[in-house]
Amino acid sequence: MRPIALSTGAAPPGLAGAMWGFHAPGSEGRFDKRFNEAKEQFWDRLRSFAMENGGKYLWVTERAASESEDHFLLKAFVVKLLATRKGIESASAGEMRSRILTEYRDAISGEVYDVYDGGEGIAYEIETLYGEGPFPLKKLQRTAEKRPRVRVVLDPFCASLHLKEVMDLRRQLTSEGKDVEFYAATAEGKGSLIEVTGLSKRINDYEG
């Protein structure tokens, strides 16, 4: 992805939406207006997803102490996607909670996983990278290195902001044999996780 010089008034059409994981160009107007609308739409969609199925995903997802709303919504979103993948949307909250674990502490390592798919043995870690200082990717590195199989989930703007560094980190970790993938959450349609390479393509499509 090439650097783009942006002003509040002019930017490639559709770029603001792409940075929040949307394909559609969005509304007309200044870049900052389109960006804020896409941001609001993304988080509104995640709130709506959490309340689907009678609010079951909200009740199944444990909220950690001092956890931000953004982090919690991304965690509930991953629970929803896993429940759909496993075909257990209609299961009771108790059964769903037993198969998709949140705030799960590994008995051996002591590590706490945001979301853990016990059937697949895969940890899903939510990262917003807020307040991580000048080298936020060190947080992602620590997250990936401490878990045997991990899928790191970022909000689309966070992923787009650090896209090159995330892709470089992925290459480095996979070259060392780590079972790791980095995903951006997208709120289009029923919602999905896309690999950062896919997000890179979406953004490049709008670079003009």
Side-chain angles (χ1 to χ4, degrees), residues 78 82 85 113-115 117 122-126 151 153 193:
V78 170
L82 288 176
R85 182 188 304 171
Y113 304 151
D114 288 329
V115 182
D117 181 350
I122 297 176
Y124 290 80
E125 289 297 307
I126 312 303
R151 307 296 179 254
V153 179
L193 299 179

Side-chain angles (χ1 to χ4, degrees), residues 60-134:
V60 164
T61 306
E62 184 177 344
R63 187 166 187 174
S66 303
E67 183 175 18
S68 69
E69 180 189 12
D70 291 356
H71 193 281
F72 176 76
L73 286 173
L74 286 164
K75 190 163 64 177
F77 180 62
V78 170
V79 169
K80 164 192 152 58
L81 294 179
L82 288 176
T84 301
R85 182 188 304 171
K86 293 175 178 294
I88 58 172
E89 307 100 308
S90 300
S92 67
E95 180 183 349
M96 191 180 294
R97 190 180 292 115
S98 71
R99 297 182 62 181
I100 304 172
L101 308 170
T102 58
E103 294 302 307
Y104 170 74
R105 183 177 297 277
D106 183 81
I108 298 175
S109 68
E111 292 290 326
V112 177
Y113 304 151
D114 288 329
V115 182
Y116 186 64
D117 181 350
E120 298 293 332
I122 297 176
Y124 290 80
E125 289 297 307
I126 312 303
E127 295 292 353
T128 57
L129 300 184
Y130 300 149
E132 291 298 327

Side-chain angles (χ1 to χ4, degrees), residues 20-24 41-42 45 49 186-192 202:
W20 282 100
F22 295 106
H23 271 119
Q41 182 183 4
F42 174 80
R45 290 285 292 155
F49 288 144
T186 68
E188 286 187 315
K190 297 182 178 180
S192 65
R202 288 191 185 190

